[in-house]
């Protein structure tokens, strides 16, 4: 059996080959998943542990990945708080009752993650039982969850969110403090259910200035990560558009910092320090171009990593729906074929770990 490359890299240890998993590796680019969606809505899949486990395992049957990320949605914890969440075709998530005033924020209900999100925890248990590979749990970071609550859905400018921060600083801090406790508790519960690592997604935090991040978001991200780390599993921290925030995000205390494609991996690593551990960072659009070019860009990132311990290969954001599965397979193969990360005397194991017989569906 090969070593746990992914967990070893998260700890900054030498590995036989760079580990690789992909953001949104389960989803719409897979024919198997599209067939599942023909019969079930996204929320139906998320709320049924058998269906969610099946979606989680689908890419593991196709690609030699080093970890599985549980199939769920970032916004699920907002539903027991009182958010009326739905998904609109072509629009994405919509919250029918957005938070626009301090009173709206105060009206959000407390969440018991083991009761209110038990279906996600049962999915984690199911996937962990079906795999010899590490399972990654995840949660939305306080800023990103607050942004969805306040905007009512995705936003290009996050103007409502930043205006709320400016006009209602006390209510803002109270809201993010509550979301930090929720995210941290949810991550910890997923570790206790069988996840061997967890990732805090701050998808929209790149909308902030460095000062606003440091003063109004960093303390809450740090709190969520501290709660998660207390469970004993590595914590990864990822955001997009964060090239100007990397050092501040590092100060939040995660074990691994995710990079998007807007910063060179070697330059980011130099800024973060030799002992840092990083994840990333191929542009997802590279998978839509010629396969040879995607492989060339993958190898270029591995060259930037330079064989240093502590690199997890990933995309700089999620796989896009039109991505050819053949290109995904070629990129994963290229990552594992590169042996620059292997210390002397380490040889890849003869048996590839993955889905046990029967799966989790």
């Amino acid at each position: 059996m090969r070593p746990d490359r992914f967990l070893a890299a998260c700890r900054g240890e030498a590995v036989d080959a760079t580990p690789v998993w992909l953001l949104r590796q389960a989803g719409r680019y897979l024919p198997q998943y599209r067939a599942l969606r023909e019969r079930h809505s996204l929320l139906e899949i998320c709320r049924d542990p058998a269906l969610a486990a099946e979606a989680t395992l689908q890419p593991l049957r196709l690609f030699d990945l080093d970890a599985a990320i549980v199939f769920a949605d970032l916004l699920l914890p907002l539903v027991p708080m009182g958010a009326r969440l739905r998904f609109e075709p072509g629009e994405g998530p919509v919250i029918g009752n957005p938070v626009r005033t301090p009173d709206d924020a105060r009206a959000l209900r407390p969440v018991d993650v083991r009761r209110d999100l038990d279906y996600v925890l049962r999915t984690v248990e199911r996937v962990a039982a079906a795999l010899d590979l590490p399972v990654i749990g995840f949660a939305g970071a306080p800023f990103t969850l607050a942004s969805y609550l306040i905007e009512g859905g995705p936003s290009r400018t996050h103007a409502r969110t930043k205006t709320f921060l400016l006009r209602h600083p006390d209510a803002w801090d109270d809201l993010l403090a509550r979301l930090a406790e929720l995210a941290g508790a949810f991550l910890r519960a997923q570790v206790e259910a069988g996840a061997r690592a967890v990732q805090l997604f701050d998808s929209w935090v790149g909308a902030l200035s460095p000062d606003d991040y440091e003063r109004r978001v960093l303390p809450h991200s740090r709190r969520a990560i501290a709660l998660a780390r207390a469970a004993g599993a590595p914590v990864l921290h990822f955001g997009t558009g964060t090239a100007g925030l990397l050092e501040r995000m590092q100060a939040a205390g995660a074990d691994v910092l995710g990079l998007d494609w807007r910063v060179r991996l070697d330059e980011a690593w130099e800024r973060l320090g030799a002992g840092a551990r990083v994840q990333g960072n191929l542009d997802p659009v590279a998978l839509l171009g010629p396969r040879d070019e995607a492989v060339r860009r993958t190898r270029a990132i591995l060259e930037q990593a330079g064989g240093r311990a502590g690199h997890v290969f990933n995309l700089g954001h999620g796989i896009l729906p039109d991505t050819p599965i053949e290109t995904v397979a070629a990129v994963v193969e290229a990552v594992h074929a590169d042996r620059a990360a292997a210390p002397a005397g380490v040889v890849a194991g003869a048996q590839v770990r993955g889905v046990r017989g029967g799966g989790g569906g």
Side-chain angles (χ1 to χ4, degrees):
M1 302 293 280
R2 72 187 182 195
D4 277 331
R5 295 170 178 155
F6 168 70
L7 295 175
C10 290
R11 295 189 294 263
E13 299 170 359
V15 291
D16 66 319
T18 302
V20 52
W21 69 278
L22 304 172
L23 296 167
R24 293 190 194 140
Q25 64 189 29
R28 291 176 291 171
Y29 75 108
L30 296 177
Q32 298 90 332
Y33 177 75
R34 292 198 295 270
L36 198 62
R37 282 298 308 275
E38 288 177 0
R39 304 189 302 274
H40 305 281
S41 71
L42 174 61
L43 286 176
E44 285 174 344
I45 296 172
C46 290
R47 288 170 174 159
D48 185 324
L51 295 177
E54 169 61 21
T56 303
L57 294 170
Q58 285 174 348
L60 278 297
R61 301 188 185 111
L62 297 173
F63 313 117
D64 185 19
L65 298 161
D66 292 292
I69 186 164
V70 66
F71 186 88
D73 189 82
L74 203 70
L75 303 185
L76 294 176
L78 301 183
V79 175
M81 294 188 83
R84 295 199 294 271
L85 173 66
R86 68 182 189 276
F87 288 86
E88 294 290 343
E91 187 175 355
V94 175
I95 292 176
N97 55 334
V99 169
R100 295 290 164 78
T101 69
D103 285 343
D104 293 338
R106 284 190 287 268
L108 294 169
R109 298 191 293 266
V111 177
D112 181 329
V113 296
R114 287 172 179 79
R115 179 194 66 204
D116 299 326
L117 298 167
D118 69 302
Y119 55 92
V120 177
L121 305 181
R122 286 188 285 127
T123 299
V124 173
E125 292 172 350
R126 198 178 186 101
V127 175
L131 283 181
D132 289 320
L133 294 171
V135 179
I136 304 170
F138 73 90
F143 175 81
T144 290
L145 293 179
S147 182
Y148 272 108
L149 280 170
I150 294 167
E151 302 287 344
S155 171
R156 292 183 180 274
T157 65
H158 301 274
R160 286 193 174 102
T161 303
K162 292 191 279 188
T163 300
F164 193 103
L165 180 158
L166 292 169
R167 291 183 176 174
H168 311 293
D170 291 340
W172 171 267
D173 286 337
D174 179 69
L175 174 60
L176 262 69
R178 293 177 63 187
L179 293 172
E181 296 294 322
L182 170 57
F186 189 32
L187 293 174
R188 181 166 185 162
Q190 289 177 75
V191 173
E192 292 169 354
R196 298 182 67 191
V198 288
Q199 178 157 294
L200 188 70
F201 279 87
D202 217 346
S203 305
W204 307 130
V205 75
L208 291 174
S209 71
D211 288 345
D212 280 338
Y213 176 81
E214 188 165 1
R215 293 178 58 242
R216 312 316 297 268
V217 174
L218 174 57
H220 305 293
S221 294
R222 183 182 286 128
R223 172 61 176 167
I225 289 168
L227 289 170
R229 289 195 74 197
V235 178
L236 301 89
H237 191 191
F238 172 76
T240 60
T242 56
L245 302 176
L246 294 181
E247 293 87 351
R248 291 169 174 83
M249 289 182 70
Q250 184 183 39
D255 298 279
V256 181
L257 188 62
L259 309 173
D260 77 0
W261 69 94
R262 298 173 181 89
V263 60
R264 280 180 59 100
L265 185 137
D266 53 355
E267 294 173 359
W269 213 334
E270 183 176 354
R271 288 167 53 185
L272 296 170
R277 285 148 278 172
V278 301
Q279 177 176 276
N281 63 334
L282 182 66
D283 185 344
V285 176
L287 298 176
L288 300 180
R291 196 177 311 164
D292 290 348
E293 177 63 12
V295 170
R296 186 196 70 77
R297 293 184 180 213
T298 295
R299 290 173 177 155
I301 290 170
L302 295 170
E303 288 175 6
Q304 291 172 37
R308 286 175 284 186
H311 177 218
V312 176
F313 187 92
N314 209 313
L315 303 179
H317 205 190
I319 293 179
L320 297 169
D322 295 330
T323 300
I325 60 174
E326 297 82 4
T327 303
V328 175
V331 164
V332 172
E333 182 179 351
V335 174
H336 285 158
D338 182 87
R339 297 300 179 188
V346 175
V347 179
Q351 184 175 353
V352 175
R353 298 202 291 174
V355 184
R356 296 183 186 133

